[in-house]
Amino acid sequence: MQVGFIGAGNMARGIARGWGRPVLATDPFPGRAEALVEELGGEAPASNFAVAERADLVLLCHKPAQLAEVAAEIASTAMPVASILGGVSLADLKAAYPDRPVYRLLPSTPVEVRQGVVILAADEPQDPRIDDAVRALFGELGLLVEVDDRLVDVAMGLMSNAPAYVALLAEAQVDAGVRHGLPPDKAAEMVVQTFAGTAALLRARGNDTLAVRREVTSPGGSTARGLAALERAGVRAAFQDALDAVLGVRS
Ligand SMILES: NC(=O)c1ccc[n+]([C@@H]2O[C@H](COP(=O)([O-])OP(=O)(O)OC[C@H]3O[C@@H](n4cnc5c(N)ncnc54)[C@H](OP(=O)(O)O)[C@@H]3O)[C@@H](O)[C@H]2O)c1
């Protein structure tokens, strides 16, 4: 399935690198689509229309505000259409691109190394052949998770900010060790490896966070005391507040 990228910015580049195949891409910024073609092979036609005409699947990678402008150029020929535009709902996409299969996806940046999460907004079956091809294509980039369209922004709020949160947690843990005398580089090595190992363990336990926590928390022991201190400091409330802040909700 030949994908036609409309916009060859950061996210398009990450997705294209994740797939690692020749691209068909366009971008108004001089040289941007051409640089992607130089890296991966393929072609950078002169217009959005030319890409849409030749692509089996058009992938909208421009900014959300350009939805109407781009649709005016390509809606007569683009079909089917997949979008990664943040904050643009399935209903908005179907209004801009009526009468054809339309898919709303939101990828995280690690798609570039095929370790991403790609959220797919759930929808009625459209064309089973294309539905399957789109799932397979984006599944190559990591974990494909289907959620209700109205929860896509919430899912994005969990996923896209998580690398920053995890980095902050690691930093806080390293600093705690340094305060008690550990060299920072050794502390960082241990903490990051522990985070990576814990992620692997959680996966092996079916993502059962409570089970993993219970396994390492002996009654009355040091882990129980550490967890109680984190609870007293309001760690859960902090995560609730953080997601509210991301979604622009008042808590
Ligand atoms: N970054 C993320 O983590 C992330 C995650 C999920 C989804 N998204 C979504 O992905 C989309 C792209 O984000 P990004 O971070 O890759 O932004 P970006 O780097 O700015 O890429 C957007 C590209 O589209 C180009 N463009 C502008 N007008 C266009 C037009 N009429 N036709 C074709 N291309 C056009 C832009 O060119 P100019 O610079 O010349 O305007 C730019 O090169 C956004 O809609 C965003 O909501 C981003």
Side-chain angles (χ1 to χ4, degrees):
M1 181 179 250
Q2 177 67 62
V3 176
F5 290 84
I6 307 291
N10 293 315
M11 220 47 227
R13 199 159 44 241
I15 293 171
R17 283 179 176 153
W19 283 331
R21 292 190 278 270
V23 293
L24 185 62
T26 181
D27 194 294
F29 189 83
R32 204 170 272 160
E34 291 75 8
L36 203 52
V37 167
E38 195 164 318
E39 182 180 336
L40 295 166
E43 236 181 297
S47 69
N48 289 339
F49 187 84
V51 167
E53 219 177 17
R54 293 174 42 194
D56 302 313
L57 174 75
V58 164
L59 182 57
L60 307 179
C61 296
H62 49 75
K63 292 287 191 192
Q66 291 143 358
L67 177 68
E69 170 196 331
V70 171
E73 283 175 74
I74 66 171
S76 63
T77 185
M79 60 174 79
V81 173
S83 156
I84 61 161
L85 313 183
V88 175
S89 69
L90 260 182
D92 296 337
L93 289 171
K94 287 182 180 187
Y97 293 94
D99 306 322
R100 76 206 73 192
V102 168
Y103 304 89
R104 182 186 183 197
L105 298 130
L106 279 175
S108 66
T109 45
V111 290
E112 181 168 335
V113 288
R114 294 176 165 242
Q115 296 279 335
V117 176
V118 181
I119 299 164
L120 171 65
D123 197 7
E124 298 297 319
Q126 303 186 72
D127 176 324
R129 191 182 54 85
I130 303 172
D131 293 354
D132 289 348
V134 167
R135 282 196 182 88
L137 200 56
F138 283 89
E140 288 179 29
L141 301 173
L143 179 70
L144 185 74
V145 184
E146 220 161 306
V147 304
D148 194 278
D149 190 45
R150 78 198 153 75
L151 292 174
V152 165
D153 289 334
V154 177
M156 192 66 190
L158 284 194
M159 188 184 83
S160 61
N161 309 295
Y165 297 174
V166 172
L168 178 68
L169 288 175
E171 193 184 311
Q173 178 81 319
V174 168
D175 280 349
V178 170
R179 185 166 157 254
H180 285 273
L182 279 174
D185 54 339
K186 286 237 161 59
E189 223 176 359
M190 286 188 285
V191 168
V192 171
Q193 174 59 28
T194 302
F195 277 28
T198 306
L201 193 60
L202 280 164
R203 196 168 276 172
R205 298 282 192 277
N207 305 320
D208 189 339
T209 53
L210 182 60
V212 169
R213 209 149 57 74
R214 288 263 187 266
E215 277 176 38
V216 296
T217 311
S218 51
S222 61
T223 305
R225 290 198 297 280
L227 287 169
L230 287 173
E231 297 284 10
R232 277 197 302 280
V235 67
R236 282 176 201 271
F239 278 99
Q240 299 282 346
D241 288 351
L243 187 53
D244 287 352
V246 168
L247 298 173
V249 175
R250 279 179 201 281
S251 45

